[in-house]
Amino acid sequence: MAFQAFALRMLRNLFAGLSATLLLAASVPEPATAHDFEDSTPRIAVVSAFAPELEILKGELRDGSEHSANGVVFATGMLEGHDVVLFLSGVSVVNAAMTAQLALDQFAIERIVFSGIAGGVDPLLGIGDVVIAERWGQYLEMLFARELDGGWAPMPFFEYPYGNFGMMFPRSVTVQRAGADGPEARFWFPVDEALLEAARRAANNVALARCTTDGRCLDRPPRIAVGGNGVSGGAFVDNAVFRTWVFETFGARVLDMESAAMAHVAYANDVPFLAVRSLADLAGGGEGTNQMEIFLGLAAGNAAAVVKAMLKEIPDRR
């Protein structure tokens, strides 16, 4: 009888504990997931790497609202007559690729426009200038070759479209897209011709800033350079010798850490892409110390001004 009484008490305690657990679970709200919102409005994605760049554009957003997915904040609204979604790519090729694909999965994005700062490579360009390249390559996709008999021995199974920098041999990347027979090897990812033409028209209607807010001015008025090559990779470059090699090898006018990765994602998803990059430093080509911290705000503002002018040149599809 003592054992039966003990078992009965244990059973009552078990049911009481289970009931309390179920009641507590019912009172806790379901956690928000990355897909709690749906947005089917056709939009232009306007992307920046740094918060100061994006804040300039967000300040002019009309009818704005915000959504969050996987920790990324997306701001939707109207900018220069277009439905847009603004967000930060984050710095680096990996962050840019992740956020670009996340945005494409969450929104009905018709075009992608990148607005941001970069390092100048072309010796004819200066700080504050805005470069709108016609194609982008991931120049730091490399083989680091073995040294052998006083030379370098690159592996035979990669494609090497450009000359090496010491042991560093640039190679093409592979990309797969719908309808392709298999992975495609390519180095350059082209920007959209219609967006590039809109940028050319906008270039005639933008006054770029020459001085920072604290009164430090450039030696000459900045200008807009449309066309040529841009390259991206996971390194902040502040080296004159490497800068010269990048210019001579790839014909690059500008380098950064995001645009080519985003161009890669856009190409894989068959979405038009363009990057507007304003030079905040010269990637090691300037005299003295790097000047990015001095001219970041000026360069970001110049890039944003060009993006806004370009949006005005894009016909509204509605």
Side-chain angles (χ1 to χ4, degrees), residues 76 168 202-203 258 271 300:
T76 59
M168 302 164 60
E258 298 86 23
V271 175

Side-chain angles (χ1 to χ4, degrees):
M1 294 295 293
F3 175 76
Q4 288 179 345
F6 172 76
L8 184 58
R9 286 196 304 272
M10 289 294 293
L11 190 59
R12 287 173 178 168
N13 290 339
L14 178 62
F15 277 119
L18 181 60
S19 298
T21 300
L22 291 174
L23 182 62
L24 179 62
S27 66
V28 177
E30 284 288 324
T33 69
H35 304 282
D36 277 345
F37 68 91
E38 293 183 2
D39 189 299
S40 59
T41 302
R43 298 186 186 277
I44 298 176
V46 182
V47 193
S48 297
F50 287 103
E53 301 164 348
L54 195 68
E55 290 305 313
I56 295 171
L57 295 168
K58 284 179 68 176
E60 301 195 20
L61 197 64
R62 292 194 300 107
D63 303 325
S65 61
E66 290 191 348
H67 313 272
S68 180
N70 289 4
V72 179
V73 177
F74 297 95
T76 59
M78 297 289 295
L79 184 65
E80 301 298 346
H82 293 279
D83 290 299
V84 298
V85 53
L86 276 58
F87 60 95
L88 289 173
S89 69
V91 178
S92 87
V93 291
V94 174
N95 282 327
M98 287 197 331
T99 53
Q101 189 60 61
L102 176 62
L104 289 168
D105 291 341
Q106 295 288 121
F107 296 90
I109 292 175
E110 295 185 324
R111 306 175 183 93
I112 300 174
V113 176
F114 204 108
S115 170
I117 65 169
V121 179
D122 187 337
L124 297 178
L125 299 175
I127 289 175
D129 289 349
V130 175
V131 178
I132 305 170
E134 62 192 50
R135 60 179 186 168
W136 287 89
Q138 298 178 64
Y139 76 124
L140 291 184
E141 289 287 336
M142 297 276 195
L143 166 79
F144 281 18
R146 180 190 299 253
E147 190 171 8
L148 189 65
D149 298 329
W152 306 107
M155 304 299 291
F157 43 77
F158 290 126
E159 176 183 293
Y160 306 103
Y162 292 98
N164 59 303
F165 184 79
M167 69 175 183
M168 302 164 60
F169 285 74
R171 62 183 184 87
S172 298
V173 298
T174 57
V175 57
Q176 189 151 343
R177 59 198 309 215
D181 294 332
E184 171 192 3
R186 63 185 303 120
F187 187 88
W188 296 107
F189 292 88
V191 305
D192 180 67
E193 284 295 330
L195 289 176
L196 193 64
E197 185 56 36
R200 288 193 180 99
R201 294 193 299 270
N204 299 318
N205 303 311
V206 183
L208 299 179
R210 183 177 179 178
C211 300
T212 64
T213 55
D214 60 359
R216 284 183 275 194
C217 297
L218 301 169
D219 294 336
R220 62 166 178 80
R223 56 197 177 93
I224 301 171
V226 181
N229 300 333
V231 293
S232 305
F236 187 99
V237 177
D238 192 31
N239 182 276
V241 176
F242 189 76
R243 174 185 189 258
T244 298
W245 173 76
V246 172
F247 174 69
E248 293 177 348
T249 301
F250 307 105
R253 310 184 83 175
V254 61
L255 60 79
D256 64 33
M257 300 176 68
E258 298 86 23
S259 294
M262 195 156 285
H264 185 146
V265 173
Y267 178 83
N269 288 272
D270 198 25
V271 175
F273 169 82
L274 184 85
V276 176
R277 289 291 196 167
S278 184
L279 308 186
D281 70 283
L282 299 179
E287 296 181 2
T289 58
N290 189 284
Q291 294 180 292
M292 187 192 80
E293 289 184 289
I294 297 173
F295 292 106
L296 186 152
L298 181 147
N302 282 348
V306 174
V307 167
K308 289 187 293 181
M310 191 187 74
L311 290 175
K312 291 180 182 178
E313 297 293 334
I314 299 174
D316 189 351
R317 292 186 179 180
R318 292 179 302 170

